[in-house]
Amino acid sequence: MKILAFGASNSSDSINKKLVSSVSKYYKEIDDEILVLDINNFPVPIFSKDLEKEIGIPENAVEFASKIDWADLILISFAENNGNYNVGYKNLYDWISRIKGRKVYPGKPVFLLSTSDGPRGAKTILEMAEARMPRDGATVLETFSLPDFQLNFEEGKGIITPLLRSQLEAKVRKTKRLMAERLSNEQQ
């Protein structure tokens, strides 16, 4: 299985990238390929229709879209900025959505995550993403929010709170099972 993972944040020290990188390790099986991306490596100018007319779709947006197309499963951890998407993610998303004839996540199964240093764990943006993703072509397999990142996560160990770790692991098992069924059906 080919797995794409990224934090939907342009912070250089993104806790969402740390979370999604840690969660991606649960999917490492013998035949799996995991690609963890940093959206900062795909800079694009601020989207506007005027700029699109002038320059077309930036190559970095097309390249990121090709990474989405490559994946069998996509893991995304959303940062919440003022109750909304992080501007770095939203801008890249806007450009990809302008590629003629495509949805941002065409037919892709996704596992959506979020975290913050607060007690809600960026649940507002997670709920927004869960509602939005099907319109972007995605199938949401599962969601998980990690509250109080600094208290519940340790680099090198991942989620350190037993109840939260157990909840995540149950969701990982579910997504693995759903993906095994999906890939088996595609091969038939």
Side-chain angles (χ1 to χ4, degrees), residues 8 16 77-81 83-86 89 112-115 120-131:
N16 281 280
S77 188
F78 287 93
E80 184 174 290
N81 297 138
N84 215 319
Y85 290 119
N86 169 274
Y89 169 76
L112 306 179
L113 308 127
S114 67
T115 191
R120 285 189 36 83
K123 277 188 179 178
T124 299
I125 194 59
L126 186 62
E127 291 165 357
M128 285 175 57
E130 183 179 15

Side-chain angles (χ1 to χ4, degrees), residues 82 132 187:
N82 298 316
R132 176 72 211 181
Q187 291 174 352

Side-chain angles (χ1 to χ4, degrees), residues 50-73:
D50 295 333
L51 189 57
E52 181 184 8
K53 286 179 191 173
E54 181 183 328
I55 68 168
I57 306 295
E59 184 56 37
N60 280 337
V62 173
E63 184 179 346
F64 199 87
S66 75
K67 304 297 186 192
I68 291 170
D69 293 342
W70 167 84
D72 295 315
L73 172 66

Side-chain angles (χ1 to χ4, degrees), residues 63-161:
E63 184 179 346
F64 199 87
S66 75
K67 304 297 186 192
I68 291 170
D69 293 342
W70 167 84
D72 295 315
L73 172 66
I74 301 173
L75 312 175
I76 309 170
S77 188
F78 287 93
E80 184 174 290
N81 297 138
N82 298 316
N84 215 319
Y85 290 119
N86 169 274
V87 68
Y89 169 76
K90 177 67 167 69
N91 192 47
L92 184 58
Y93 164 94
D94 286 343
W95 279 111
I96 293 170
S97 76
R98 301 297 294 180
I99 297 172
K100 188 170 177 70
R102 103 168 260 134
K103 296 207 178 247
V104 178
Y105 299 100
K108 297 298 174 174
V110 295
F111 182 7
L112 306 179
L113 308 127
S114 67
T115 191
S116 71
D117 287 324
R120 285 189 36 83
K123 277 188 179 178
T124 299
I125 194 59
L126 186 62
E127 291 165 357
M128 285 175 57
E130 183 179 15
R132 176 72 211 181
M133 283 289 186
R135 289 180 289 198
D136 293 325
T139 301
V140 178
L141 300 181
E142 193 55 84
T143 66
F144 177 80
S145 171
L146 177 66
D148 299 310
F149 181 82
Q150 301 302 332
L151 299 175
N152 293 312
F153 188 92
E154 189 176 311
E155 286 202 53
K157 292 184 180 179
I159 296 174
I160 56 173
T161 308

